[in-house]
Amino acid sequence: MKYWLMKSEPDVFSFTDLKSRPNKTEPWNGVRNYQARNFMRDDMQVGDLILFYHSSCEIPGIAGIAKVNSMPYPDDTQFNKKSEYFDPKATIENPRWFLIDVAFEKDLKRHISLEELKGFKELSDMRLMQKGNRLSILPVTKKEFEFIIKLGQ
DNA sequence: GCCAACGTTGGC
DNA sequence: GCCAACGTTGGC
């Protein structure tokens, strides 16, 4: 069992949007960064837990808990010429981009802001805290994950 | 809207 | 294979 943090802009797709999906699950398409892809393709396992993070919004922070809900498979949008995520170099035989499905796991009692997280020395090594970090998918340690869960209970 | 960080692209 | 130019991310 591994732990992750996945960023999403709430104006585009929020934790509430995930929870509102018919099966409370969503293909995490549109990732076009190799490191983030590799995490999904190579390291994630069904059942891994995810801190669902809201970025580029008024109060960036952890919005809820999700989970990895599928094995990795090719991101359909790379083959779709009409998609903003279309990749002319990807083929069905040799897909370049992979994703997993993300599903709602549980609510936290409150949103935990980035500002608050920054105040805990227990979390000072989190990659999220490091300046210039732009990766949309980050590994989280068990300790960090459990510490944050406690804050939200 | 600004700007630092940093990944990607493409000419050489 | 180097590296300048460019584009994107994301907090502020």
Side-chain angles (χ1 to χ4, degrees):
Chain A
M1 159 86 74
K2 294 198 178 88
Y3 303 90
W4 307 94
L5 180 145
M6 296 176 79
K7 297 178 186 174
S8 187
E9 297 185 27
D11 293 346
V12 179
F13 189 77
S14 70
F15 188 65
T16 304
D17 292 332
L18 177 65
K19 201 177 168 183
S20 306
R21 284 290 189 262
N23 295 318
K24 301 190 179 187
T25 186
E26 181 77 0
W28 207 253
N29 58 32
V31 170
R32 293 295 179 268
N33 170 284
Y34 289 104
Q35 268 186 277
R37 178 205 67 182
N38 292 348
F39 283 139
M40 289 196 285
R41 188 189 63 184
D42 306 333
D43 297 328
M44 285 189 178
Q45 295 178 308
V46 173
D48 283 359
L49 293 174
I50 299 164
L51 299 170
F52 195 108
Y53 181 86
H54 284 174
S55 65
S56 295
C57 56
E58 195 177 347
I59 305 174
I62 311 293
I65 308 302
K67 66 183 171 190
V68 176
N69 203 38
S70 77
M71 300 285 283
Y73 62 97
D75 180 344
D76 280 345
T77 62
Q78 70 192 303
F79 310 124
N80 180 356
K81 281 191 176 139
K82 288 177 184 162
S83 169
E84 61 177 311
Y85 301 123
F86 176 65
D87 184 342
K89 292 177 181 164
T91 62
I92 301 278
E93 297 74 26
N94 193 16
R96 179 178 287 203
W97 304 109
F98 291 80
L99 52 67
I100 48 85
D101 292 345
V102 171
F104 171 82
E105 173 70 14
K106 67 174 181 179
D107 284 310
L108 294 173
K109 289 212 173 72
R110 63 193 185 88
H111 180 95
I112 305 165
S113 71
L114 176 62
E115 187 184 18
E116 180 181 353
L117 294 175
K118 281 179 173 171
F120 297 105
K121 66 177 189 304
E122 291 89 339
L123 302 177
S124 58
D125 289 337
M126 276 186 87
R127 290 182 66 176
L128 181 69
M129 305 302 167
Q130 287 160 24
K131 197 178 172 186
N133 156 61
R134 301 185 310 165
L135 259 189
S136 63
I137 300 176
L138 298 168
V140 174
T141 68
K142 184 174 190 194
K143 275 187 183 173
E144 290 161 352
F145 185 88
E146 287 172 353
F147 186 87
I148 290 170
I149 293 282
K150 270 184 197 160
L151 293 177
Q153 281 172 349

